[in-house]
């Protein structure tokens, strides 16, 4: 196989993998359920379903392929910038059957375009970028649809084997040495514009938790009055905590002297060793203050994840440059929740930081902004229009993030009040001179 044939085969596999996941998420419920809005925060599943097809048509059929439109008349309906999620159920959307057949027609054309397009030259197609962008886009909507499933009431419709158990004990903090490291990437072929370009950042020495904060630790924060002490919260965080009546992570409820949580329709006692999930940025920050620590900055998080002190270079992933395998990280909706701390020793970074990739997205204390030298590509609406103080960054991916949509450089962003996403965190703190040694 030539290199191009190999790339085409990998793209075709990735396209079919994402479509298979979309089918799992949308075939699991009936038509009524697909058109219903399960939360004002989310679109009806049938909107996501046709939206992934519409984006695929726009980029791959029309732009890359230069072909005639399939359904230009529906572009506006599925333009996320035209209609906020809360308004989408009232739109004259394609029915589930229409959406599925539209997606099939588009996909057939895309596979033909893939066969005929030279994957070099024009930046949009070089290394298959536009195809990779579309694969990642569908996977991102699959994760969004998984979050919709989590918000949906009713008996369970999704199933998966439980995550692996812990095989090593992971606790305490890891010292990350001070000095420059390479953040972002200029060489990862499917990296999105906001991950580019690679640039040097000088990070002072700091300590980072070896693992994400667990349910058990988070329950201690609650038991110690964490939600009742304004001084642990920022002014903005406290105002939100009060207005929204926050008392525990989303989906938690009291169960005797402890806590239970409901996950995809199944209620059980919380697992103390699993990373806490469904907390907002403000909750993460209040916990960190309570623990005498802080959240890592985005640069600190990425240095902890990618920096190899032996070579001085930044890896693609904490474990090295190889693509994620199931032994490295809890990704891809193979399991319907995070794995306990200590379940992925093969995925640890060279410094010994665990579970940075997969399990839960990790809030970091940084606004979403462009790196020095940022250039919007292929359009401003991908990232640039979100830059600024409104959005906080999340890193590392969750159990619901596919490996094609996750890298050591990958950046997610959301409002600091959001917690319907699979969001957790870990803490960090400055290193004292004695600790630096
Ligand atoms: Fe989208």
């Amino acid at each position: 196989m030539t290199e191009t044939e190999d790339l085409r085969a990998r793209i075709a596999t990735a396209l079919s993998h994402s479509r298979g996941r979309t089918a799992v998420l949308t075939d699991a419920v009936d038509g009524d359920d697909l058109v219903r809005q399960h939360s004002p925060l989310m679109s009806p599943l049938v909107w996501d379903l046709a939206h992934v097809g519409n984006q695929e048509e726009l980029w791959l059929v029309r732009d890359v392929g230069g072909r005639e439109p399939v359904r230009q008349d529906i572009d506006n309906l599925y333009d996320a910038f035209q209609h906020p999620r809360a308004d989408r159920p009232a739109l004259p959307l394609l029915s589930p059957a229409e959406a599925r057949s539209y997606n099939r027609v588009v996909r057939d054309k895309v596979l033909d375009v893939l066969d005929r397009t030279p994957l070099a030259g024009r930046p949009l197609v070089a290394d298959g970028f536009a195809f990779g962008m579309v694969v990642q886009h569908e996977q991102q909507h699959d994760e969004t649809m998984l979050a919709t499933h989590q918000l949906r009431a009713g008996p369970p419709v999704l199933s998966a084997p439980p995550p692996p158990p812990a095989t090593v004990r992971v606790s305490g903090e890891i010292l990350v040495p001070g000095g420059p490291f390479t953040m972002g990437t200029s060489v990862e072929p499917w990296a999105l514009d906001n991950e580019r370009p690679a640039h040097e950042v000088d990070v002072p020495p700091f300590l980072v938790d070896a693992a994400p904060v667990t349910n058990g630790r988070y329950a201690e924060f609650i038991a110690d009055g964490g939600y009742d002490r304004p001084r642990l919260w920022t002014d903005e965080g406290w105002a939100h905590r009060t207005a929204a009546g926050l008392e525990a992570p989303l989906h938690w409820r009291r169960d005797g002297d402890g806590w239970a949580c409901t996950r995809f329709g199944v209620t059980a006692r919380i697992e103390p060793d699993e990373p806490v999930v469904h907390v907002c940025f403000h909750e993460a920050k209040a916990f960190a203050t309570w623990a005498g620590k802080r959240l890592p900055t985005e640069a600190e998080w990425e240095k902890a994840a990618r920096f190899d002190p032996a070579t001085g270079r930044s890896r693609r992933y904490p474990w090295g440059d190889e693509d994620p395998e199931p032994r490295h990280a809890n990704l891809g909706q193979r399991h319907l929740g995070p794995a306990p701390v200590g379940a992925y020793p093969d995925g640890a970074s060279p410094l010994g930081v665990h579970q940075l990739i997969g399990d839960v997205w990790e809030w970091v204390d940084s606004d979403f902004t462009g790196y020095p030298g940022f250039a919007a590509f292929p359009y401003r609406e991908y990232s640039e229009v979100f830059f600024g103080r409104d959005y906080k960054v999340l890193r590392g991916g969750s159990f619901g993030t596919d490996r094609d949509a996750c890298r050591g450089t990958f950046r997610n962003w959301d409002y600091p009040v959001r917690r319907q996403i699979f969001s957790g965190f870990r803490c960090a703190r400055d290193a004292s001179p004695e600790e630096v040694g």
Side-chain angles (χ1 to χ4, degrees):
M1 232 196 263
T2 68
E3 224 170 276
T4 307
E5 284 167 353
D6 182 56
L7 178 56
R8 284 203 176 96
R10 280 194 287 125
I11 290 170
T13 303
L15 284 167
S16 109
H17 177 61
S18 59
R19 188 54 47 86
R21 186 175 173 201
T22 302
V24 164
L25 289 158
T26 51
D27 293 348
V29 292
D30 63 19
D32 277 356
D33 224 310
L34 286 175
V35 302
R36 188 178 315 144
Q37 189 166 42
H38 297 284
S39 157
L41 292 175
M42 311 305 276
S43 314
L45 292 167
V46 76
W47 186 89
D48 290 283
L49 182 62
H51 168 79
V52 297
N54 183 242
Q55 286 289 305
E56 186 167 318
E57 185 196 338
L58 289 171
W59 286 107
L60 300 182
V61 176
R62 294 189 214 168
D63 197 327
V64 171
R67 309 277 175 98
E68 285 300 303
V70 182
R71 289 289 303 262
Q72 206 159 23
D73 57 310
I74 62 170
D75 288 353
N76 176 279
L77 291 175
Y78 296 102
D79 181 343
F81 289 92
Q82 296 297 323
H83 310 284
R85 285 178 177 178
D87 297 351
R88 292 174 191 168
L91 300 172
L93 300 176
L94 299 190
S95 71
E98 288 168 336
R100 288 181 176 115
S101 85
Y102 168 64
N103 283 2
R104 268 196 300 275
V105 170
V106 170
R107 180 55 60 89
D108 283 349
K109 290 183 189 293
V110 163
L111 293 176
D112 191 53
V113 169
L114 175 60
D115 274 344
R116 293 161 194 267
T117 305
L119 301 176
R122 194 179 163 203
L124 191 61
V125 295
D127 300 314
F129 175 81
F131 295 91
M133 180 177 75
V134 163
V135 164
Q136 292 177 74
H137 177 258
E138 181 157 353
Q139 289 289 359
Q140 284 155 9
H141 277 274
D142 288 341
E143 182 164 356
T144 301
M145 289 196 276
L146 188 65
T148 304
H149 271 273
Q150 169 63 9
L151 290 163
R152 176 183 166 273
V157 295
L158 298 175
S159 63
T167 53
V168 292
R169 255 191 80 77
V170 178
S171 62
E173 301 169 305
I174 302 289
L175 176 68
V176 180
F181 90 107
T182 302
M183 185 173 186
T185 178
S186 299
V187 295
E188 184 72 37
W190 288 3
L192 300 159
D193 60 0
N194 62 60
E195 298 166 67
R196 301 168 184 269
H199 58 288
E200 199 166 272
V201 181
D202 198 349
V203 181
F206 68 102
L207 288 117
V208 66
D209 290 355
V213 169
T214 61
N215 287 328
R217 275 294 275 164
Y218 201 85
E220 288 174 35
F221 163 69
I222 302 174
D224 196 38
Y227 281 85
D228 308 317
R229 291 155 59 182
R231 262 179 299 181
L232 297 176
W233 300 69
T234 60
D235 291 345
E236 189 191 342
W238 183 254
H240 175 67
R241 173 253 166 270
T242 308
L246 304 185
E247 292 180 337
L250 186 62
H251 309 297
W252 281 33
R253 61 172 178 71
R254 295 257 180 215
D255 181 45
D257 59 352
W259 292 94
C261 75
T262 302
R263 187 175 282 165
F264 303 106
V266 179
T267 301
R269 296 277 286 194
I270 59 160
E271 291 290 342
D273 294 337
E274 280 178 12
V276 67
V277 60
H278 296 300
V279 290
C280 71
F281 173 80
H282 298 305
E283 290 169 298
K285 215 167 147 97
F287 175 99
T289 304
W290 171 79
K293 302 187 187 186
R294 57 177 174 77
L295 296 181
T297 64
E298 186 176 15
E300 285 173 336
W301 189 96
E302 189 167 320
K303 187 170 181 182
R306 298 182 62 210
F307 180 66
D308 180 354
T311 61
R313 62 179 281 276
S314 291
R315 300 170 156 201
R316 291 178 69 213
Y317 297 93
W319 54 84
D321 292 342
E322 31 171 340
D323 287 337
E325 296 295 335
R327 70 188 174 87
H328 292 127
N330 181 6
L331 290 167
Q333 201 186 314
R334 291 196 311 273
H335 312 294
L336 290 174
V341 164
Y344 289 96
D346 291 349
S349 77
L351 292 165
V353 187
H354 286 243
Q355 282 161 285
L356 288 148
I357 300 290
D359 294 303
V360 294
W361 286 104
E362 299 183 22
W363 288 109
V364 293
D365 202 350
S366 295
D367 297 335
F368 184 51
T369 55
Y371 291 155
F374 169 84
F377 180 77
Y379 64 138
R380 283 193 70 241
E381 285 71 21
Y382 189 80
S383 306
E384 195 176 7
V385 296
F386 300 100
F387 288 168
R389 299 215 48 223
D390 291 349
Y391 294 94
K392 293 293 180 189
V393 173
L394 300 112
R395 299 296 298 260
S398 78
F399 66 89
T401 308
D402 189 77
R403 56 181 244 167
D404 284 330
C406 192
R407 295 170 283 281
T409 54
F410 191 91
R411 311 171 74 196
N412 188 6
W413 66 93
D414 214 327
Y415 291 116
V417 300
R418 289 285 189 254
R419 55 185 204 158
Q420 88 282 5
I421 52 177
F422 304 113
S423 49
F425 63 103
R426 77 179 67 216
C427 297
R429 64 181 174 87
D430 299 348
S432 68
E434 301 77 61
E435 286 167 328
V436 176

